[in-house]
Amino acid sequence: MMAECYRIWAQLEHEAGTQLYRQTGLLLLGMKENPELKTIQATLSSQGVEHQYLPSEELKQRFPNIRLARGEVGLLDKSGGVLYADKALRALQDVIQQLGVIVRDGEKVMEIKPGLPVVVKTTSRSYKAKSLIITAGPWTNQLLHPLGVELPLQTLRINVCYWREKVPGSYGVSQAFPCFLGLDFSLAPHHIYGLPSGEYPGLMKVCYHHGNNADPEERDCPTAFSDIKDVHILSRFVRDRLPGLEPEPAVMEHCMYTNTPDKHFILDRLPKYDNIVIGAGFSGHGFKLSPVVGKILYELSMKLTPSYDLTPFRISRFLGLGKAHL
């Protein structure tokens, strides 16, 4: 799916006349015998994605400002990089509005009435349509509950941390520093990832790919103690592995993840209502794939043959868990 996404992002860049993607490379860090690293390498090879295996010594020479653990190796996916999310959303809205799409912002959905047509009531008005696509992120179950559906979605509040460079630009794109994903850090059961400095000058984004359970309505409430535990893990990582950064976050923001048990998306029609389509559970890695996800949701809503095998994304895969009440 990513191969098609790269093409569509490039097309949108061209149509918008503005840069939406910056190719930096993505460096995967892990122990030589790490099975996940081996799986990723096999996937990159089978998909024909240009990549380079970096043994410890070469890794040290290429990226001297990363302090490696003993036996750690690297895998550099040269196609990886950073999407500018705000610019991408603005470009997309501008392009689709030129095609006649109407964007209704700031309207809260109050009720969905299934049927033919399906009716959506908001704080401003009612809408009728042959089909409906719901992509409501952490609010998904609030909208589905009145329809008798509850999906096994976990809503998490994520700390988004930025760390000051001791020498400005040393972890920046201008120094050819890549995005990275750490697969092996003894204190962290989940991945740690980073993006080169640029979004905030002199600050590098380094985050923990997990968070704490949170109601989306209360996402801006004061932080719980467990929130600080996550930041402590990151501080230890920055101190031990990225010596050119100050080990306390300079800026901390928040975002929401909506996770499924297997971290794969839900792209499907609702079992009782085949004209209501759901896109949810993007588990912190959906934005990059949104061009193809949009295409798939469109195909489902129009009852066209999907462009991809949707078996990994069906609601029915959760029936054995007892957590999805369908």
Side-chain angles (χ1 to χ4, degrees):
M1 291 163 74
M2 272 311 303
E4 185 175 8
C5 283
Y6 276 117
R7 291 195 295 273
I8 300 176
W9 283 121
Q11 181 188 339
L12 181 60
E13 266 190 328
H14 177 73
E15 290 179 20
T18 186
Q19 184 183 16
L20 306 177
Y21 170 68
R22 185 156 194 174
Q23 188 172 344
T24 63
L26 169 63
L27 178 64
L28 298 135
L29 296 167
M31 294 301 168
K32 189 175 182 180
E33 63 280 359
N34 183 306
E36 190 177 4
L37 192 69
K38 289 180 177 177
T39 299
I40 293 168
Q41 187 171 13
T43 301
L44 293 172
S45 296
S46 67
Q47 296 295 318
V49 176
E50 188 183 356
H51 64 282
Q52 186 179 3
Y53 175 80
L54 299 172
S56 297
E57 280 308 312
E58 191 174 346
L59 192 54
K60 275 183 205 167
Q61 289 169 6
R62 283 279 292 275
F63 305 107
N65 47 2
I66 301 175
R67 191 179 287 145
L68 301 174
R70 184 186 291 274
E72 198 166 31
V73 298
L75 195 61
L76 186 63
D77 168 2
K78 296 185 179 180
S79 63
V82 180
L83 276 169
Y84 301 127
D86 287 357
K87 284 184 180 177
L89 287 170
R90 168 55 53 211
L92 185 62
Q93 289 195 3
D94 288 348
V95 166
I96 64 172
Q97 284 173 315
Q98 288 168 20
L99 296 169
V101 171
I102 299 169
V103 177
R104 298 278 189 202
D105 215 343
E107 287 187 33
K108 184 174 182 178
V109 173
M110 307 303 291
E111 186 184 8
I112 296 169
K113 288 185 176 177
L116 203 62
V118 60
V119 179
V120 176
K121 288 190 174 181
T122 74
T123 44
S124 302
R125 64 188 72 209
S126 288
Y127 301 90
K128 293 180 180 179
K130 290 180 182 176
S131 60
L132 172 69
I133 298 171
I134 300 173
T135 52
W139 289 272
T140 297
N141 272 334
Q142 290 181 28
L143 289 178
L144 294 182
H145 190 260
L147 304 179
V149 175
E150 187 180 337
L151 299 173
L153 298 173
Q154 182 186 29
T155 55
L156 300 174
R157 184 175 185 266
I158 307 295
N159 294 315
V160 182
C161 297
Y162 295 83
W163 311 76
R164 192 172 303 285
E165 295 169 308
K166 292 175 182 175
V167 177
S170 54
Y171 290 89
V173 175
S174 61
Q175 295 297 311
F177 196 82
C179 300
F180 76 84
L181 182 67
L183 307 179
D184 285 302
F185 185 56
S186 56
L187 298 172
H190 301 280
H191 294 157
I192 291 173
Y193 71 93
L195 276 62
S197 60
E199 191 174 357
Y200 293 119
L203 301 180
M204 183 180 179
K205 180 177 178 178
V206 181
C207 300
Y208 193 47
H209 193 47
H210 198 66
N212 302 284
N213 289 320
D215 182 329
E217 298 293 348
E218 298 175 5
R219 65 196 179 281
D220 296 324
C221 290
T223 58
F225 172 75
S226 54
D227 271 354
I228 293 157
K229 193 171 124 187
D230 291 357
V231 178
H232 284 168
I233 290 172
L234 286 172
S235 290
R236 288 278 299 271
F237 178 86
V238 168
R239 187 193 69 200
D240 295 348
R241 311 300 294 277
L242 300 169
L245 298 178
E246 299 288 351
E248 294 297 324
V251 174
M252 189 157 77
E253 300 172 341
H254 301 100
C255 72
M256 295 292 295
Y257 279 11
T258 309
N259 283 10
T260 60
D262 60 9
K263 308 298 189 292
H264 292 310
F265 312 156
I266 295 170
L267 307 172
D268 205 352
R269 298 186 187 97
L270 288 188
K272 293 182 193 170
Y273 310 108
D274 73 347
N275 65 334
I276 298 179
V277 174
I278 185 80
F282 293 99
S283 306
H285 64 116
F287 190 85
K288 67 182 81 66
L289 285 153
S290 53
V292 165
V293 165
K295 178 180 173 181
I296 289 168
L297 295 174
Y298 152 74
E299 289 166 346
L300 287 170
S301 73
M302 299 297 287
K303 298 190 169 59
L304 303 173
T305 303
S307 301
Y308 293 86
D309 175 14
L310 299 186
T311 305
F313 309 117
R314 291 206 176 104
I315 293 171
S316 57
R317 74 188 192 270
F318 299 124
L319 288 173
L321 288 179
K323 289 181 183 174
H325 313 296
L326 305 173

